Coordinates of all heavy atoms in Angstrom, one line a residue:
M13 N 284.1 -163.2 260.3 CA 283.6 -162.8 259.0 C 284.7 -163.1 258.0 O 285.9 -162.7 258.3 CB 283.2 -161.4 259.0 CG 282.7 -160.9 257.7 SD 281.7 -159.5 257.7 CE 282.8 -158.2 257.3
R14 N 284.4 -163.7 256.9 CA 285.4 -164.0 255.9 C 285.8 -162.7 255.2 O 284.9 -161.9 254.8 CB 284.8 -164.9 254.8 CG 284.7 -166.3 255.3 CD 284.3 -167.3 254.3 NE 283.9 -166.8 253.0 CZ 283.4 -167.5 252.1 NH1 283.1 -168.8 252.3 NH2 283.0 -167.0 250.9
E15 N 287.1 -162.6 254.9 CA 287.5 -161.4 254.1 C 287.6 -161.7 252.6 O 287.6 -160.7 251.9 CB 288.9 -161.0 254.6 CG 288.8 -160.5 256.1 CD 290.2 -159.9 256.5 OE1 291.0 -159.6 255.7 OE2 290.4 -159.9 257.7
T16 N 287.6 -162.9 252.2 CA 287.7 -163.2 250.8 C 286.3 -163.6 250.3 O 285.5 -164.1 251.0 CB 288.6 -164.4 250.5 OG1 288.1 -165.5 251.3 CG2 290.0 -164.1 251.0
K17 N 286.1 -163.2 249.1 CA 284.8 -163.5 248.5 C 284.9 -164.9 247.8 O 285.9 -165.3 247.3 CB 284.4 -162.4 247.4 CG 284.2 -161.1 248.0 CD 283.9 -160.1 247.0 CE 283.7 -158.7 247.6 NZ 283.4 -157.7 246.6
P18 N 283.8 -165.6 247.7 CA 283.8 -166.9 247.0 C 284.1 -166.7 245.5 O 283.6 -165.6 244.9 CB 282.4 -167.5 247.2 CG 281.6 -166.3 247.5 CD 282.4 -165.3 248.2
T19 N 284.7 -167.6 244.9 CA 285.0 -167.5 243.5 C 283.7 -167.9 242.7 O 283.1 -168.9 243.1 CB 286.1 -168.5 243.1 OG1 287.3 -168.1 243.8 CG2 286.4 -168.4 241.6
L20 N 283.4 -167.1 241.7 CA 282.2 -167.4 241.0 C 282.5 -167.4 239.5 O 283.0 -166.4 239.0 CB 281.1 -166.4 241.3 CG 279.8 -166.5 240.6 CD1 279.1 -167.8 241.0 CD2 278.9 -165.3 240.9
L21 N 282.2 -168.4 238.8 CA 282.4 -168.5 237.4 C 281.1 -169.1 236.8 O 280.8 -170.2 237.0 CB 283.6 -169.4 237.0 CG 283.8 -169.6 235.5 CD1 284.1 -168.2 234.8 CD2 285.0 -170.5 235.3
L22 N 280.4 -168.3 236.0 CA 279.1 -168.7 235.5 C 279.4 -169.5 234.2 O 280.2 -169.2 233.4 CB 278.2 -167.5 235.1 CG 277.8 -166.7 236.3 CD1 277.0 -165.5 235.8 CD2 277.0 -167.5 237.3
F23 N 278.6 -170.6 234.1 CA 278.8 -171.5 232.9 C 278.6 -170.7 231.6 O 279.3 -170.9 230.7 CB 277.8 -172.6 233.0 CG 277.8 -173.6 231.9 CD1 278.8 -174.5 231.7 CD2 276.8 -173.5 230.9 CE1 278.8 -175.4 230.7 CE2 276.8 -174.4 229.8 CZ 277.8 -175.3 229.7
D24 N 277.6 -169.8 231.6 CA 277.3 -169.0 230.4 C 278.4 -168.1 230.0 O 278.7 -168.0 228.8 CB 276.0 -168.2 230.6 CG 274.7 -169.0 230.7 OD1 274.8 -170.2 230.2 OD2 273.7 -168.5 231.2
D25 N 279.1 -167.6 231.0 CA 280.3 -166.7 230.7 C 281.4 -167.6 230.2 O 282.2 -167.1 229.3 CB 280.7 -166.0 232.0 CG 279.7 -164.9 232.4 OD1 278.9 -164.5 231.6 OD2 279.8 -164.5 233.6
L26 N 281.5 -168.8 230.7 CA 282.6 -169.6 230.3 C 282.5 -170.1 228.8 O 283.5 -170.1 228.1 CB 282.7 -170.8 231.2 CG 283.9 -171.8 231.0 CD1 285.2 -171.1 231.3 CD2 283.7 -173.0 231.9
I27 N 281.3 -170.4 228.4 CA 281.1 -171.0 227.1 C 280.7 -169.9 226.1 O 280.4 -170.3 224.9 CB 280.2 -172.2 227.1 CG1 278.8 -171.8 227.5 CG2 280.7 -173.3 228.0 CD1 277.7 -172.8 227.1
E28 N 280.6 -168.7 226.5 CA 280.1 -167.7 225.5 C 280.9 -167.6 224.2 O 280.3 -167.6 223.2 CB 280.1 -166.3 226.2 CG 279.7 -165.2 225.3 CD 279.9 -163.8 226.0 OE1 280.7 -163.7 227.0 OE2 279.2 -162.9 225.6
T29 N 282.2 -167.6 224.3 CA 283.0 -167.6 223.1 C 282.8 -168.8 222.2 O 282.9 -168.7 221.0 CB 284.5 -167.3 223.4 OG1 284.9 -168.4 224.3 CG2 284.7 -166.0 224.1
I30 N 282.6 -170.0 222.9 CA 282.4 -171.2 222.1 C 281.1 -171.1 221.4 O 281.0 -171.5 220.2 CB 282.5 -172.4 223.0 CG1 283.9 -172.5 223.6 CG2 282.1 -173.7 222.3 CD1 284.1 -173.6 224.6
E31 N 280.1 -170.6 222.0 CA 278.7 -170.5 221.4 C 278.8 -169.5 220.2 O 278.2 -169.8 219.1 CB 277.7 -170.0 222.4 CG 277.3 -171.0 223.4 CD 276.3 -170.5 224.4 OE1 276.3 -169.3 224.7 OE2 275.6 -171.4 224.9
I32 N 279.6 -168.4 220.3 CA 279.7 -167.5 219.2 C 280.4 -168.1 218.1 O 280.1 -168.0 216.9 CB 280.5 -166.2 219.7 CG1 279.7 -165.4 220.7 CG2 281.0 -165.3 218.5 CD1 280.4 -164.3 221.4
A33 N 281.5 -168.9 218.4 CA 282.2 -169.6 217.3 C 281.3 -170.6 216.6 O 281.3 -170.8 215.4 CB 283.4 -170.3 217.9
L34 N 280.4 -171.3 217.4 CA 279.5 -172.3 216.7 C 278.5 -171.6 215.8 O 278.2 -172.1 214.8 CB 278.8 -173.1 217.8 CG 279.7 -174.1 218.5 CD1 278.9 -174.8 219.7 CD2 280.2 -175.2 217.5
K35 N 278.0 -170.4 216.3 CA 277.1 -169.7 215.4 C 277.8 -169.2 214.1 O 277.2 -169.3 213.0 CB 276.6 -168.4 216.2 CG 275.6 -168.8 217.2 CD 275.1 -167.5 218.0 CE 274.2 -167.9 219.1 NZ 273.8 -166.8 220.0
E36 N 279.0 -168.8 214.2 CA 279.8 -168.4 213.0 C 280.0 -169.6 212.1 O 279.9 -169.5 210.9 CB 281.1 -167.8 213.5 CG 282.0 -167.3 212.3 CD 281.5 -166.1 211.6 OE1 280.6 -165.4 212.2 OE2 282.0 -165.8 210.5
L37 N 280.3 -170.7 212.7 CA 280.5 -172.0 211.9 C 279.2 -172.3 211.2 O 279.2 -172.7 210.0 CB 280.9 -173.1 212.8 CG 281.0 -174.5 212.2 CD1 282.0 -174.5 211.1 CD2 281.3 -175.5 213.2
G38 N 278.0 -172.2 211.9 CA 276.8 -172.5 211.2 C 276.5 -171.5 210.1 O 275.9 -171.9 209.1
S39 N 276.8 -170.3 210.3 CA 276.6 -169.3 209.3 C 277.5 -169.6 208.0 O 277.0 -169.5 206.9 CB 277.0 -167.9 209.8 OG 277.0 -166.9 208.8
I40 N 278.7 -169.9 208.3 CA 279.6 -170.3 207.1 C 279.1 -171.5 206.4 O 279.1 -171.6 205.2 CB 281.0 -170.5 207.6 CG1 281.6 -169.1 208.1 CG2 281.9 -171.1 206.6 CD1 282.9 -169.2 208.8
Y41 N 278.7 -172.5 207.2 CA 278.2 -173.8 206.6 C 277.0 -173.5 205.7 O 276.9 -174.1 204.7 CB 277.9 -174.8 207.7 CG 277.4 -176.1 207.2 CD1 278.4 -177.0 206.7 CD2 276.1 -176.5 207.3 CE1 278.0 -178.2 206.2 CE2 275.7 -177.7 206.8 CZ 276.6 -178.6 206.3 OH 276.2 -179.8 205.8
S42 N 276.1 -172.7 206.2 CA 274.9 -172.4 205.4 C 275.2 -171.7 204.1 O 274.5 -171.8 203.1 CB 273.8 -171.7 206.2 OG 274.3 -170.4 206.5
K43 N 276.2 -170.8 204.1 CA 276.6 -170.1 203.0 C 277.6 -170.8 202.0 O 277.8 -170.4 200.9 CB 277.3 -168.7 203.4 CG 276.3 -167.8 204.1 CD 277.0 -166.6 204.6 CE 276.1 -165.7 205.4 NZ 276.7 -164.5 206.0
L44 N 278.1 -171.9 202.5 CA 279.2 -172.6 201.7 C 278.6 -173.1 200.4 O 279.3 -173.2 199.4 CB 279.8 -173.7 202.5 CG 281.1 -174.3 202.0 CD1 282.1 -173.3 201.9 CD2 281.5 -175.4 203.0
N45 N 277.4 -173.5 200.4 CA 276.8 -174.1 199.1 C 276.7 -173.0 198.1 O 276.6 -173.3 196.9 CB 275.4 -174.7 199.4 CG 275.6 -176.0 200.2 OD1 276.6 -176.7 200.1 ND2 274.6 -176.3 201.1
S46 N 276.6 -171.7 198.4 CA 276.4 -170.7 197.4 C 277.7 -170.2 196.9 O 277.8 -169.5 195.9 CB 275.6 -169.5 198.0 OG 276.4 -168.9 199.0
F47 N 278.8 -170.6 197.5 CA 280.2 -170.2 197.0 C 280.7 -171.1 195.9 O 280.3 -172.3 195.9 CB 281.2 -170.3 198.2 CG 281.0 -169.2 199.2 CD1 279.8 -168.9 199.8 CD2 282.2 -168.4 199.6 CE1 279.7 -167.9 200.7 CE2 282.1 -167.4 200.5 CZ 280.8 -167.2 201.1
D48 N 281.5 -170.6 195.1 CA 282.3 -171.5 194.2 C 283.2 -172.3 195.0 O 283.9 -171.7 195.9 CB 283.0 -170.7 193.1 CG 282.1 -169.9 192.2 OD1 281.0 -170.4 191.9 OD2 282.5 -168.9 191.7
K49 N 283.3 -173.5 194.8 CA 284.1 -174.4 195.7 C 285.6 -174.5 195.1 O 286.1 -175.6 194.9 CB 283.5 -175.7 195.9 CG 282.2 -175.6 196.7 CD 281.7 -176.9 197.1 CE 280.5 -176.7 198.0 NZ 279.4 -177.5 197.8
E50 N 286.1 -173.3 194.9 CA 287.5 -173.3 194.5 C 288.4 -173.7 195.6 O 288.1 -173.5 196.8 CB 287.9 -171.9 194.1 CG 287.2 -171.3 192.9 CD 287.5 -172.0 191.6 OE1 288.6 -172.5 191.4 OE2 286.6 -172.1 190.7
E51 N 289.5 -174.3 195.3 CA 290.4 -174.9 196.4 C 290.9 -173.8 197.3 O 290.9 -174.0 198.5 CB 291.6 -175.6 195.7 CG 292.5 -176.3 196.7 CD 293.6 -177.1 196.1 OE1 293.7 -177.1 194.8 OE2 294.4 -177.6 196.8
Y52 N 291.2 -172.7 196.8 CA 291.8 -171.6 197.7 C 290.7 -171.1 198.7 O 291.0 -170.7 199.8 CB 292.4 -170.5 196.9 CG 291.4 -169.6 196.1 CD1 290.8 -168.5 196.7 CD2 291.0 -170.0 194.8 CE1 289.9 -167.7 196.0 CE2 290.1 -169.2 194.1 CZ 289.6 -168.1 194.7 OH 288.7 -167.3 194.0
I53 N 289.4 -171.1 198.2 CA 288.3 -170.7 199.1 C 288.1 -171.7 200.2 O 288.0 -171.4 201.4 CB 287.0 -170.4 198.3 CG1 287.2 -169.2 197.4 CG2 285.8 -170.3 199.3 CD1 286.0 -168.9 196.5
L54 N 288.2 -173.0 199.9 CA 288.0 -174.0 200.9 C 289.2 -174.0 201.9 O 288.9 -174.2 203.1 CB 287.9 -175.4 200.2 CG 286.6 -175.6 199.4 CD1 286.6 -176.9 198.7 CD2 285.4 -175.4 200.2
K55 N 290.4 -173.9 201.4 CA 291.5 -173.8 202.3 C 291.5 -172.6 203.2 O 291.8 -172.7 204.4 CB 292.8 -173.8 201.5 CG 293.2 -175.2 200.9 CD 294.5 -175.1 200.1 CE 294.8 -176.4 199.5 NZ 296.1 -176.4 198.8
G56 N 291.1 -171.5 202.6 CA 291.0 -170.3 203.5 C 289.9 -170.4 204.5 O 290.1 -170.0 205.7
T57 N 288.8 -171.0 204.2 CA 287.7 -171.2 205.1 C 288.1 -172.2 206.2 O 287.9 -172.0 207.4 CB 286.5 -171.8 204.4 OG1 286.1 -170.9 203.3 CG2 285.3 -172.0 205.3
F58 N 288.9 -173.2 205.8 CA 289.4 -174.2 206.8 C 290.3 -173.5 207.8 O 290.2 -173.7 209.0 CB 290.1 -175.3 206.1 CG 290.7 -176.3 207.0 CD1 290.0 -177.2 207.7 CD2 292.1 -176.3 207.2 CE1 290.5 -178.1 208.6 CE2 292.7 -177.2 208.1 CZ 291.9 -178.1 208.8
V59 N 291.2 -172.7 207.3 CA 292.2 -172.0 208.2 C 291.4 -171.0 209.1 O 291.7 -171.0 210.3 CB 293.2 -171.2 207.3 CG1 294.0 -170.3 208.2 CG2 294.1 -172.2 206.6
Y60 N 290.4 -170.4 208.6 CA 289.6 -169.4 209.4 C 288.9 -170.2 210.5 O 288.9 -169.8 211.7 CB 288.6 -168.7 208.5 CG 287.7 -167.8 209.3 CD1 288.1 -166.7 210.0 CD2 286.3 -168.2 209.4 CE1 287.2 -166.0 210.8 CE2 285.4 -167.4 210.2 CZ 285.9 -166.3 210.8 OH 285.0 -165.5 211.6
L61 N 288.3 -171.4 210.2 CA 287.6 -172.1 211.2 C 288.5 -172.7 212.3 O 288.2 -172.7 213.5 CB 286.8 -173.3 210.5 CG 285.7 -172.8 209.6 CD1 285.0 -174.0 208.9 CD2 284.6 -172.0 210.4
I62 N 289.7 -173.1 211.9 CA 290.7 -173.6 212.9 C 291.1 -172.4 213.8 O 291.1 -172.6 215.0 CB 291.9 -174.2 212.2 CG1 291.6 -175.5 211.5 CG2 293.0 -174.4 213.2 CD1 291.1 -176.6 212.3
S63 N 291.3 -171.3 213.2 CA 291.6 -170.1 214.0 C 290.5 -169.7 215.0 O 290.7 -169.4 216.1 CB 291.9 -168.9 213.1 OG 292.1 -167.7 213.9
L64 N 289.3 -169.8 214.5 CA 288.1 -169.5 215.3 C 288.0 -170.5 216.5 O 287.7 -170.1 217.6 CB 286.8 -169.6 214.4 CG 285.5 -169.1 214.9 CD1 285.6 -167.6 215.2 CD2 284.4 -169.3 213.9
F65 N 288.2 -171.7 216.2 CA 288.2 -172.8 217.3 C 289.3 -172.5 218.3 O 289.0 -172.5 219.5 CB 288.4 -174.2 216.6 CG 288.6 -175.2 217.7 CD1 287.5 -175.7 218.4 CD2 289.9 -175.7 217.9 CE1 287.7 -176.7 219.3 CE2 290.1 -176.7 218.8 CZ 289.0 -177.2 219.6
E66 N 290.5 -172.3 217.9 CA 291.6 -172.0 218.8 C 291.4 -170.8 219.6 O 291.6 -170.8 220.8 CB 292.9 -171.9 218.0 CG 293.4 -173.2 217.5 CD 294.7 -173.1 216.7 OE1 295.2 -171.9 216.4 OE2 295.4 -174.1 216.4
S67 N 290.9 -169.7 219.0 CA 290.7 -168.5 219.8 C 289.6 -168.6 220.8 O 289.7 -168.1 221.9 CB 290.5 -167.3 218.9 OG 289.3 -167.4 218.2
S68 N 288.5 -169.4 220.5 CA 287.4 -169.6 221.4 C 287.9 -170.5 222.6 O 287.5 -170.2 223.8 CB 286.2 -170.2 220.7 OG 286.5 -171.5 220.3
I69 N 288.7 -171.5 222.3 CA 289.2 -172.3 223.4 C 290.2 -171.5 224.3 O 290.1 -171.6 225.5 CB 289.9 -173.6 222.9 CG1 288.9 -174.5 222.2 CG2 290.6 -174.3 224.0 CD1 287.8 -175.0 223.1
T70 N 291.0 -170.7 223.7 CA 291.9 -169.8 224.4 C 291.2 -168.9 225.3 O 291.6 -168.7 226.5 CB 292.9 -169.1 223.5 OG1 293.6 -170.0 222.7 CG2 293.9 -168.2 224.2
E71 N 290.2 -168.2 224.8 CA 289.4 -167.3 225.6 C 288.7 -168.0 226.8 O 288.6 -167.5 227.9 CB 288.4 -166.6 224.7 CG 287.5 -165.5 225.4 CD 288.3 -164.4 226.0 OE1 289.4 -164.1 225.5 OE2 287.8 -163.7 227.0
C72 N 288.1 -169.2 226.5 CA 287.5 -170.0 227.5 C 288.5 -170.3 228.7 O 288.2 -170.1 229.8 CB 286.9 -171.2 226.9 SG 286.0 -172.3 228.0
L73 N 289.7 -170.7 228.3 CA 290.7 -171.0 229.3 C 291.1 -169.8 230.0 O 291.3 -169.8 231.3 CB 291.9 -171.7 228.6 CG 293.1 -172.1 229.5 CD1 292.6 -173.1 230.5 CD2 294.2 -172.6 228.7
K74 N 291.2 -168.7 229.3 CA 291.6 -167.4 230.0 C 290.6 -167.0 231.1 O 290.9 -166.7 232.2 CB 291.7 -166.3 229.0 CG 292.1 -165.0 229.6 CD 292.3 -163.9 228.5 CE 291.0 -163.1 228.5 NZ 291.1 -162.0 227.5
R75 N 289.3 -167.1 230.7 CA 288.3 -166.8 231.7 C 288.3 -167.7 232.9 O 288.1 -167.3 234.0 CB 286.9 -166.9 231.0 CG 286.7 -165.8 230.0 CD 285.3 -165.9 229.3 NE 285.2 -164.8 228.3 CZ 284.1 -164.5 227.8 NH1 282.9 -165.0 228.2 NH2 284.0 -163.5 226.9
Y76 N 288.6 -169.0 232.7 CA 288.7 -170.0 233.7 C 289.8 -169.6 234.7 O 289.7 -169.6 235.9 CB 288.8 -171.4 233.2 CG 289.0 -172.4 234.3 CD1 287.9 -172.9 235.0 CD2 290.3 -172.9 234.6 CE1 288.1 -173.8 236.0 CE2 290.5 -173.8 235.6 CZ 289.4 -174.3 236.3 OH 289.5 -175.2 237.3
L77 N 291.0 -169.3 234.1 CA 292.2 -169.0 234.9 C 292.1 -167.7 235.6 O 292.7 -167.5 236.7 CB 293.4 -169.1 234.0 CG 293.7 -170.5 233.5 CD1 294.9 -170.5 232.6 CD2 293.9 -171.5 234.7
I78 N 291.3 -166.7 235.0 CA 291.1 -165.5 235.8 C 290.2 -165.7 237.0 O 290.5 -165.2 238.1 CB 290.5 -164.4 234.8 CG1 291.5 -163.9 233.8 CG2 289.8 -163.3 235.6 CD1 290.9 -163.0 232.7
A79 N 289.3 -166.6 236.9 CA 288.4 -167.0 238.0 C 289.1 -167.8 239.0 O 288.8 -167.7 240.2 CB 287.1 -167.7 237.5
F80 N 290.0 -168.7 238.6 CA 290.7 -169.6 239.5 C 292.2 -169.5 239.3 O 292.8 -170.4 238.8 CB 290.3 -171.0 239.2 CG 288.8 -171.3 239.4 CD1 288.0 -171.3 238.3 CD2 288.2 -171.4 240.7 CE1 286.6 -171.5 238.5 CE2 286.9 -171.6 240.9 CZ 286.0 -171.7 239.8
P81 N 292.8 -168.4 239.7 CA 294.2 -168.2 239.5 C 295.1 -169.2 240.3 O 296.2 -169.5 240.0 CB 294.5 -166.8 240.0 CG 293.4 -166.4 240.9 CD 292.2 -167.2 240.4
S82 N 294.5 -169.8 241.3 CA 295.2 -170.8 242.1 C 295.6 -172.1 241.3 O 296.4 -172.9 241.7 CB 294.4 -171.2 243.3 OG 293.2 -171.8 242.9
E83 N 294.9 -172.2 240.1 CA 295.2 -173.4 239.2 C 296.6 -173.2 238.5 O 297.0 -174.2 237.9 CB 294.1 -173.5 238.2 CG 292.8 -173.9 238.8 CD 292.7 -175.3 239.4 OE1 293.4 -176.2 238.8 OE2 292.1 -175.5 240.4
I84 N 297.1 -172.1 238.6 CA 298.4 -171.8 237.9 C 299.5 -171.9 239.0 O 299.5 -171.0 239.9 CB 298.5 -170.5 237.2 CG1 297.3 -170.4 236.2 CG2 299.8 -170.3 236.5 CD1 297.2 -169.0 235.6
T85 N 300.4 -172.8 238.9 CA 301.6 -172.8 239.8 C 302.8 -173.0 239.0 O 302.9 -173.9 238.1 CB 301.5 -174.0 240.8 OG1 301.3 -175.2 240.1 CG2 300.3 -173.8 241.7
D86 N 303.8 -172.2 239.3 CA 305.1 -172.2 238.5 C 304.9 -172.2 237.0 O 305.6 -172.8 236.3 CB 305.9 -173.5 238.9 CG 306.2 -173.6 240.4 OD1 306.4 -172.5 241.0 OD2 306.3 -174.7 240.9
G87 N 303.9 -171.4 236.6 CA 303.7 -171.2 235.2 C 303.0 -172.4 234.5 O 302.8 -172.4 233.3
Q88 N 302.5 -173.3 235.3 CA 301.8 -174.5 234.8 C 300.4 -174.6 235.3 O 300.2 -174.2 236.5 CB 302.6 -175.8 235.2 CG 304.0 -175.9 234.6 CD 304.1 -176.0 233.1 OE1 303.3 -176.8 232.6 NE2 305.0 -175.4 232.5
V89 N 299.5 -175.1 234.5 CA 298.1 -175.2 235.0 C 298.1 -176.6 235.7 O 298.4 -177.6 235.1 CB 297.1 -175.2 233.8 CG1 295.7 -175.4 234.3 CG2 297.2 -173.8 233.1
T90 N 297.6 -176.6 236.9 CA 297.6 -177.9 237.7 C 296.5 -178.8 237.2 O 296.7 -180.0 237.2 CB 297.4 -177.6 239.2 OG1 296.2 -176.9 239.4 CG2 298.5 -176.8 239.7
G91 N 295.3 -178.3 236.9 CA 294.2 -179.1 236.3 C 293.6 -180.1 237.4 O 293.1 -181.1 237.1
K92 N 293.6 -179.7 238.6 CA 293.0 -180.5 239.7 C 291.5 -180.6 239.6 O 290.9 -179.7 239.2 CB 293.4 -179.9 241.0 CG 294.9 -180.1 241.3 CD 295.2 -179.5 242.7 CE 296.6 -179.5 243.0 NZ 296.9 -178.9 244.2

């Protein structure tokens, strides 16, 4: 009998944060036409969207590495 359990990572769990970020992006895009397009608003929106993208990718990678810790060797992700 095996003592270890198989590793399970559901696709839906992996991309959940990316889907949330895309919904937020769609919401912002739909509201952008009603905003005054002042330069500071556009720059702030751009910075927010980049942050949203980076945090969703980071969370996705974190979930992957929690499911497959063997991918980390000597502090580096092997990417096999």
Side-chain angles (χ1 to χ4, degrees):
M13 182 159 99
R14 287 187 351 191
E15 292 184 23
T16 59
K17 295 180 181 177
T19 302
L20 180 64
L21 178 62
L22 298 177
F23 179 76
D24 291 341
D25 291 341
L26 186 63
I27 66 162
E28 177 184 24
T29 57
I30 295 172
E31 287 177 336
I32 292 170
L34 288 173
K35 286 179 185 175
E36 180 71 14
L37 175 61
S39 173
I40 290 171
Y41 183 75
S42 67
K43 294 176 184 176
L44 194 57
N45 290 330
S46 64
F47 285 52
D48 293 332
K49 292 188 177 141
E50 298 292 330
E51 184 177 357
Y52 69 93
I53 291 176
L54 293 177
K55 285 182 179 181
T57 303
F58 176 76
V59 170
Y60 174 69
L61 293 175
I62 294 297
S63 173
L64 193 62
F65 171 76
E66 287 179 349
S67 65
S68 66
I69 294 297
T70 301
E71 182 64 24
C72 183
L73 181 59
K74 181 179 102 176
R75 291 179 183 197
Y76 176 80
L77 293 176
I78 286 172
F80 301 101
S82 61
E83 295 292 324
I84 304 172
T85 57
D86 299 329
Q88 300 291 321
V89 178
T90 60
K92 292 180 185 175

